[in-house]
Amino acid sequence: MLIRRERADDVTAIAAVHRSAFGPQYADGDAQYTLADADIVEMTGDGAADPPEVDLVARLRSDEGWIPTLSFVAIEHGIVIGHVCLTRAAVGPFPVLALGPLGVDTEHQGSGVGTALVHAALGAADALDEPLVALLGSADYSPQFGFVPAARLGITPDEPTWVSHFQVRPLTAYDSQIVGEFHYAEPFYGA
């Protein structure tokens, strides 16, 4: 497996990865969105709705928070099997990063692809002297990468319902003065 920066010719494959990774979560009527949310849901060729992560990545690419050097793909035998991106966010007046979405093709889940992508993203962010990375994620999965509940560092999400899954990972350039309300790039809040 190879981890590298996203290229322009990866866009379709990245959408397919997120479709594979997140589509099953919405297939059995457990969807967190409906077709009434047409501004964030596209129809695939088979009539099924794309998961919102597909459109989120597309909208992030055209947002000022997009950082092309911090969008990574995992490649195996020349095929994109995973994707993660970091986008510009803020804690009060302090610029920080947000991780996600992170997607791995269903056939490759559980094989370390997601772990490799997260390590690559965090390493790149640290090398660029970014102070902190935040995410909405599993309290069981994210701590292995050094993520802690954001409240421990005095950081709160601007969406109160996110508190239980909102975590941060301080990096080498972290400063304890970075406290306050976190805000994602605008595409995370819908269109």
Side-chain angles (χ1 to χ4, degrees):
M1 176 179 55
L2 167 73
I3 305 291
R4 66 162 167 75
R5 285 177 45 187
E6 170 186 334
R7 298 188 306 223
D9 62 346
D10 294 326
V11 170
T12 301
I14 289 168
V17 162
H18 288 295
R19 198 172 287 121
S20 172
F22 295 102
Q25 296 176 22
Y26 303 100
D28 299 325
D30 294 332
Q32 297 176 8
Y33 66 94
T34 67
L35 291 180
D37 298 324
D39 58 328
I40 64 167
V41 179
E42 284 185 27
M43 298 303 284
T44 61
D46 62 4
D50 268 351
E53 290 81 1
V54 173
D55 187 57
L56 174 59
V57 172
R59 289 186 294 122
L60 283 168
R61 282 192 190 98
S62 62
D63 186 78
E64 64 185 31
W66 182 251
I67 305 170
T69 56
L70 294 177
S71 181
F72 300 96
V73 292
I75 307 288
E76 186 175 79
H77 305 296
I79 298 170
V80 175
I81 60 170
H83 173 256
V84 69
C85 60
L86 294 166
T87 52
R88 180 60 62 208
V91 173
F94 302 99
V96 299
L97 295 173
L99 187 146
L102 164 65
V104 176
D105 182 87
T106 54
E107 293 181 20
H108 295 88
Q109 290 177 2
S111 64
V113 175
T115 297
L117 284 164
V118 172
H119 282 300
L122 292 175
D126 198 43
L128 293 171
D129 287 328
E130 293 290 344
L132 179 124
V133 175
L135 61 73
L136 281 175
S138 166
D140 297 326
Y141 181 72
S142 304
Q144 69 180 308
F145 305 105
F147 283 90
V148 298
R152 286 189 196 168
L153 299 180
I155 299 170
T156 58
D158 58 359
E159 180 62 49
T161 59
W162 294 344
V163 169
S164 64
H165 291 89
F166 187 65
Q167 302 168 57
V168 295
R169 168 62 154 79
L171 301 173
T172 304
Y174 171 71
D175 183 330
S176 62
Q177 293 181 23
I178 301 174
V179 296
E181 188 174 82
F182 176 88
H183 188 79
Y184 275 104
E186 287 307 312
F188 281 93
Y189 301 94

